[in-house]
Amino acid sequence: MSAVLPSASLMPTLGFFSIPWMVFIAFLTGVVCTFIVAMWRRRALARRMQDLVRAVHRLAEGDLRGSVPVRGNDEVALLALTLNSAIETLQQQLARAENQQVKMATVLEHMEEAVVAVSAEGRVSLMNARAELWFGVTRQAVL
């Protein structure tokens, strides 16, 4: 027994809409759609990375205000969360240091003893109110 295959002349042809052309058009449509989606995702990723770069530049300049927007749940979002956490930690440490400085300045200012700090070059770098009274000079004159 032999198999009988239809001849090419019996295959349905629709002119331009033949099966090979339809497959090619479907493939081409898929490639174009994939390219469009890839470009859209690339732009979204580039915007997120630009946000991170701007935040790092602000941080490098000492500006601890604000945070980085966290969008998504990928590595870039994790990096943004980590950067926000670092900014928050730096803000807390800076606030503690400023509080300590205010406390030390208050203690220094209200001491009964005269306190004068002199640098290695021999310049007065700190002086309290009692030292002004003892030496008869103002801080503005010696600092």
Side-chain angles (χ1 to χ4, degrees), residues 13-32:
T13 58
L14 304 173
F16 184 72
F17 294 106
S18 66
I19 292 177
W21 273 107
M22 292 175 74
V23 169
F24 175 73
I25 290 172
F27 172 75
L28 192 60
T29 303
V31 168
V32 168

Side-chain angles (χ1 to χ4, degrees), residues 53-136:
V53 168
R54 277 192 292 271
V56 169
H57 282 291
R58 279 195 333 262
L59 189 59
E61 292 170 356
D63 182 3
L64 298 178
R65 294 172 294 156
S67 61
V68 182
V70 178
R71 295 186 296 259
N73 59 356
D74 57 357
E75 290 82 5
V76 177
L78 179 62
L79 185 57
L81 280 170
T82 304
L83 186 59
N84 286 340
S85 176
I87 290 171
E88 185 177 328
T89 300
L90 286 171
Q91 288 170 335
Q92 291 170 353
Q93 290 176 346
L94 184 61
R96 278 196 299 271
E98 288 171 349
N99 287 338
Q100 284 296 100
Q101 186 178 13
V102 168
K103 286 178 187 177
M104 292 301 291
T106 302
V107 167
L108 181 67
E109 196 58 34
H110 294 92
M111 288 179 69
E112 291 295 320
E113 295 81 14
V115 177
V116 176
V118 181
S119 69
E121 294 83 28
R123 301 193 68 203
V124 174
S125 59
L126 183 94
M127 183 177 198
N128 69 353
R130 184 61 72 177
E132 284 181 342
L133 290 174
W134 277 29
F135 298 114

Side-chain angles (χ1 to χ4, degrees), residues 34-47:
T34 301
F35 179 76
I36 290 170
V37 169
M39 292 304 294
W40 175 70
R41 292 297 300 148
R42 185 195 63 80
R43 276 195 207 142
L45 179 61
R47 264 186 261 120

